[in-house]
Every structure is written in structure tokens, then in C-alpha cells.
Amino acid sequence: MADIKAFIFDLDGVIVFTDKFHYLAWKQMADSMGIYFDEEINHRLRGVSRMASLEIILERYEGEPLSEEKKEELAAYKNSIYVELLRSMTPEDCSQEVRDTLDELRRRGYKLAIGSSSKNAPIILEQLEMGDYFDAVSDGNNITKSKPDPEVFVKAAEFLGLPPEECLVVEDAEAGIDAGNGGGMQTAAIGDAVNCGKGTYNLTTFADLLDICK
């Protein structure tokens, strides 16, 4: 394997946990349409784009067929709730372990980037006061295909000026690991992604990244 020169991190579920905000926002949208929604369904939405998530929720919809315009309206309604909830985030929502690990990786000379399908990545980084931690940000605002397509990570590598094989993707979702592997990158699985068995490395804690690159 090529030497790693950069780390590309998924945002939600890796750097910070926003699942609770997604759940509350989707729940409010689903309730407005009389659609059953619970934590198990919400779990299926991890690493999935906004519109693809909506389609999963609509599997339980029993009303008249919805137009694409109505679907866009529902997705926008969910996002407006989610963004409002994000405004309650503070720098403390990112753990000290994550910050210390990022600091040490930078001290060792590695480049750091975000690779997130979320269009709200800038808001999250602003709330966490973490914009300065990353050399590049590739997110839902500059891609046309969501994970498991590798586009978001390929663009992150381009922004860093590095070939994919010199980048390691850190992901908590199988779709993200598939995207990293598909982009020709090394991958580190954390959280639920460990169970898929597709990562180059499996992490027990975020700080384990320091053992990969001693």
C-alpha cells in the first residue's frame, strides 16, 4: 500500500454525532405526513443522501402518489428543522479525543480533509469552530452523486492535491467504506462500519488512527 499522506473524514458519526438531530427532524416531517418512523428506520438513513433517505421513509407512505415537487418540499422541510437544531451545537459537541487526535496528525505532517455528503457540513464546522482543522472540505455542495459513489472522496483528494492511493478515508457507514474503496483509497472503519468487514483498518476508538501512522 502507498504511504498515507492525508486523512479524509466523514463528518456525521466520525467527527461529531448529529444522529439525534436527523432523527428529530425526520420524525417531525414523517409525523406531518402521517408516516410511521422510528429509530430502526432512522438507522437505515446513515450515510445516505437526503432524497434517498426520504424515499426510505416514504416506503411506509400510504397516501396519494407524491410529485417530485412535493418530495423536494418535504426534504426541504426536514432540512429546515435540522438546520435549526444544528444551531444549538457548540464546540463541546466534538470530543477532546477527536480534537487531540487531529492535532497530533497535523503535527506529524498529515493533511486533513472532510468528505461528507451533507450540504450542511459548513454549518456544522462553523458551530464546532473547526473550520481551521481541515485543509479541504468536500461536501454535498460540490458533488452530484452521494455515497457509495466515491465522488465526494475523489474530489477531497483533488482539493488536497494528492492521488487517491495516498489518502485514507475514515468512515462509520458501510456506504462510506464502499465509496472510499471505490475511489482507490485506503479506508478505516469505525463504529457500525467495522461490522461490514470491508475496511483496510478497523478502529475501536478515534485515537487508534495514531497507531496506523506511527
Side-chain angles (χ1 to χ4, degrees):
M1 292 185 291
D3 289 340
I4 296 168
K5 294 183 179 177
F7 291 80
I8 304 175
F9 301 93
D10 179 37
L11 185 56
D12 295 350
V14 175
I15 299 298
V16 68
F17 294 89
T18 59
D19 282 2
K20 60 183 178 182
F21 300 136
H22 279 296
Y23 173 75
L24 291 171
W26 281 124
K27 182 77 166 67
Q28 189 168 328
M29 187 284 295
D31 287 348
S32 74
M33 295 292 290
I35 303 170
Y36 178 78
F37 185 71
D38 60 16
E39 296 276 7
E40 184 174 344
I41 299 171
N42 187 65
H43 192 72
R44 292 175 58 196
L45 311 184
R46 299 188 69 186
V48 178
S49 71
R50 189 182 305 165
M51 295 308 295
S53 294
L54 177 63
E55 292 296 341
I56 291 173
I57 293 170
L58 291 178
E59 290 172 4
R60 290 175 175 261
Y61 175 66
E62 299 178 348
E64 293 295 319
L66 301 177
S67 66
E68 290 305 310
E69 182 180 6
K70 179 61 176 178
K71 290 180 181 180
E72 291 284 354
E73 179 184 314
L74 290 173
Y77 174 53
K78 178 268 176 180
N79 192 57
S80 67
I81 300 167
Y82 177 64
V83 169
E84 190 61 33
L85 292 169
L86 288 180
R87 296 296 183 189
S88 68
M89 293 181 69
T90 70
E92 283 66 42
D93 283 297
C94 178
S95 73
Q96 195 60 49
E97 177 191 5
V98 168
R99 290 180 185 273
D100 289 346
T101 302
L102 293 175
D103 285 341
E104 179 60 19
L105 289 174
R106 182 174 294 285
R107 189 190 69 78
R108 296 183 186 183
Y110 295 101
K111 289 187 176 182
L112 309 177
I114 291 292
S116 170
S117 297
S118 174
K119 292 184 177 181
N120 296 306
I123 297 172
I124 296 172
L125 292 174
E126 177 186 353
Q127 292 299 118
L128 297 176
E129 298 179 4
M130 294 189 72
D132 293 340
Y133 270 89
F134 303 100
D135 300 290
V137 175
S138 177
D139 61 24
N141 296 294
N142 63 254
I143 60 172
T144 58
K145 301 170 186 174
S146 295
K147 304 168 189 176
D149 190 278
E151 182 184 16
V152 69
F153 295 135
V154 171
K155 284 188 177 292
E158 290 176 357
F159 294 160
L160 291 171
L162 293 171
E165 60 269 22
E166 293 181 356
C167 299
L168 183 136
V169 166
V170 185
E171 263 283 358
D172 72 315
E174 182 174 0
I177 294 294
D178 287 341
N181 290 337
M185 302 171 188
Q186 299 178 57
T187 53
I190 193 170
D192 288 349
V194 171
N195 298 325
C196 75
K198 299 178 181 179
T200 312
Y201 305 95
N202 290 319
L203 308 178
T204 301
T205 68
F206 192 85
D208 288 345
L209 288 172
L210 300 178
D211 294 329
I212 294 175
C213 304
K214 290 182 178 177

